[in-house]
Amino acid sequence: MSDLATTGDVDSRLEKYRTELTGYCYRMLGSAFEAEDAVQDTMVRAWRSIDSFEGRSSLRSWLYRIATNVCLDSLNAGNKRARPMDLTAATPVAQARLNERPEITWLEPVPDGRVLPSVADPAETAVARESIRLAFVAALQHLPPKQRAVLILREVLAWKAAEVAELLGTTVASVNSALQRARATLAEQSPATSDTANPLDEEQQQLLERYVVAFEGYDMKALTALLHEDATMSMPPYDLWLRGHDDIVGWMLGVGEVCRGSKLVPTVANGSPAFAHYHPDPEGGFSPWALIVLELSDGKIDEMSFFLDTKRWFPLFGLPARLEA
């Protein structure tokens, strides 16, 4: 039996890596639930194989090797997550139709606390938050599985090429080549960078306060004043997405009119400001309607992603099941 197993604290030794491993698996898989399942599978495999862990690498490296294999097995089955803008062109509001796609299609939001371990270095925190943004994780989905692992380990987690080569059972030259190809593909996807939002500065806080007032008051003039001209709005599990003030307002005052009188509760998701959106309930109070994730840049809002499957998202984010009047 290994020295690790004789200490009697195997569970706690493994458990302290759960959050960072979940972040790694989330970037690999694009699904909060699949990431948690992958980490649980990793922990079970590690427990069962603890006697074979001989300490030639660190416990952390060993766990990442197991987690990588779990993720590669899942990805080799063909799983690939996307956002609506990865699948279709923007739709003019006059032609807008709600076409639902299966849950397995969509890139999923994730609570920051599930995937971002506490670190003292602000620069590390900034990189970690940027690397779980919806646009970045969506861009990662365009990479072949092993290139995805290489890029995350090298660029996000700052592993050395030799460490990644050992983990993947390959050569440093192969790792460097995979990283170069992954960077080139990612550059073609060009995920936009967003403003740092941790903590929110005064201007960002005021922007979000104005967003809440405009949305709850259903004031479209005030709302569009907060959006970039080419801002986008999407609503998974529907593949419809809209771009620009006219189409967004057209939707909000048409099909979206049912959202008039809603309430917003602040939260955070994917390193970005987010809101739990509660819809007026005919029987009184407010019921869950959407998780809204915002992307901010240059003092305005770039993207509004409305995730409508609240039975999945609200429990995951620890949000109330309803609001009283």
Side-chain angles (χ1 to χ4, degrees):
M1 181 174 284
S2 70
D3 291 341
L4 178 66
T6 62
T7 63
D9 64 348
V10 176
D11 283 337
S12 62
R13 294 280 299 274
L14 297 177
E15 198 62 30
K16 75 176 187 176
Y17 296 104
R18 181 176 293 274
T19 301
E20 65 173 284
L21 285 170
T22 305
Y24 174 61
C25 293
Y26 174 72
R27 296 176 183 100
M28 287 288 288
L29 302 173
S31 163
F33 294 102
E34 286 186 5
E36 295 198 339
D37 287 346
V39 172
Q40 191 57 34
D41 191 359
T42 297
M43 295 298 185
V44 170
R45 293 189 191 190
W47 218 160
R48 288 174 176 169
S49 305
I50 201 71
D51 285 346
S52 66
F53 175 66
E54 299 172 351
R56 287 178 295 188
S57 63
S58 70
L59 177 62
R60 180 172 182 256
S61 298
W62 186 60
L63 289 172
Y64 268 92
R65 182 181 296 113
I66 298 171
T68 299
N69 289 332
V70 171
C71 290
L72 292 179
D73 287 345
S74 177
L75 292 169
N76 287 335
N79 297 348
K80 180 180 176 182
R81 299 279 177 161
R83 298 190 301 166
M85 47 280 290
D86 299 319
L87 302 177
T88 65
T91 305
V93 71
Q95 301 168 21
R97 298 289 183 274
L98 290 176
N99 176 42
E100 186 172 350
R101 298 207 187 189
E103 174 272 321
I104 193 68
T105 304
W106 301 114
L107 179 68
E108 297 180 350
V110 71
D112 287 15
R114 297 285 185 113
V115 294
L116 295 178
S118 299
V119 294
D121 186 341
E124 281 186 39
T125 300
V127 169
R129 288 175 66 85
E130 187 69 19
S131 69
I132 60 165
R133 284 181 50 245
L134 290 170
F136 184 80
V137 179
L140 288 175
Q141 304 300 300
H142 292 273
L143 299 176
K146 283 197 175 179
Q147 284 186 30
R148 199 179 308 178
V150 168
L151 186 129
I152 296 167
L153 290 165
R154 292 281 285 119
E155 304 257 292
V156 177
L157 301 177
W159 284 40
K160 296 175 181 176
E163 294 172 326
V164 177
E166 182 180 356
L167 182 146
L168 293 174
T170 187
T171 64
V172 169
S174 177
V175 166
N176 289 336
S177 175
L179 179 59
Q180 190 172 9
R181 295 196 303 276
R183 284 172 174 166
T185 301
L186 215 59
E188 292 173 5
Q189 301 305 317
S190 61
T193 56
S194 63
D195 290 344
T196 302
N198 182 34
L200 293 168
D201 63 29
E202 186 175 351
E203 182 184 4
Q204 291 169 329
Q205 191 64 54
Q206 289 175 357
L207 172 64
L208 296 179
E209 289 169 0
R210 290 164 62 200
Y211 179 80
V212 171
V213 171
F215 195 98
E216 292 187 346
Y218 228 65
D219 183 340
M220 293 300 110
K221 183 176 180 181
L223 182 67
T224 53
L226 308 177
L227 305 178
H228 284 291
E229 286 286 345
D230 61 349
T232 63
M233 176 179 172
S234 61
M235 295 161 279
Y238 301 109
D239 59 14
L240 171 74
W241 64 285
L242 306 161
R243 185 191 294 279
H245 292 181
D246 290 347
D247 285 330
I248 290 173
V249 170
W251 178 268
M252 298 283 280
L253 294 179
V255 176
E257 181 74 24
V258 294
C259 292
R260 188 181 290 273
S262 294
K263 296 292 182 186
L264 300 184
V265 174
T267 183
V268 289
N270 292 82
S272 302
F275 292 95
H277 173 191
Y278 291 86
H279 185 270
D281 191 321
E283 298 182 3
F286 300 85
S287 54
W289 188 259
L291 176 74
I292 309 173
V293 183
L294 302 180
E295 290 283 2
L296 314 181
S297 71
D298 300 324
K300 289 195 174 185
I301 297 168
D302 267 334
E303 294 182 10
M304 299 184 292
S305 298
F306 289 71
F307 292 93
L308 300 180
D309 191 356
T310 55
K311 289 182 179 178
R312 288 166 64 79
W313 309 129
F314 278 43
L316 181 68
F317 281 77
L319 294 163
R322 62 179 289 106
L323 298 181
E324 299 307 320

